[in-house]
Amino acid sequence: MIVGALAAAHLVALQVNIRRYVTGTEQQGPNLDSGAEWWWTGLPFGPTTVWAVGALAFALLLVVLWPQLRRETAPALRV
């Protein structure tokens, strides 16, 4: 549940941040390609693809690292 919440928060934050730099704050909606005022013209993919890949990569990173983060460590020895 925590992994899903973190992934969803990152998905929204990444979309808002990319939207801010690509179209400004006047545009709304999940499609970052529509109304793009600034993007690299030579790239074969648009900002929506970057958003989707970035959000998916972060979610996969959380899934991979979560077992390590949840693993209980041995208590520290006190001297």
Side-chain angles (χ1 to χ4, degrees):
M1 185 167 163
I2 294 173
V3 170
L6 286 172
H10 180 264
L11 176 91
V12 171
L14 188 61
Q15 197 270 349
V16 169
N17 202 22
I18 292 174
R19 166 73 67 199
R20 176 179 164 206
Y21 289 107
V22 172
T23 64
T25 56
E26 307 86 40
Q27 298 284 335
Q28 295 295 320
N31 186 1
L32 296 170
D33 295 329
S34 67
E37 297 171 6
W38 181 89
W39 192 253
W40 295 284
T41 57
L43 288 180
F45 50 85
T48 301
T49 304
V50 172
W51 172 48
V53 169
L56 181 62
F58 185 76
L60 289 175
L61 177 70
L62 288 175
V63 168
V64 168
L65 291 181
W66 189 251
Q68 295 297 320
L69 296 172
R70 292 281 299 162
R71 190 175 65 188
E72 290 188 31
T73 58
L77 295 175
R78 294 186 181 182
V79 179

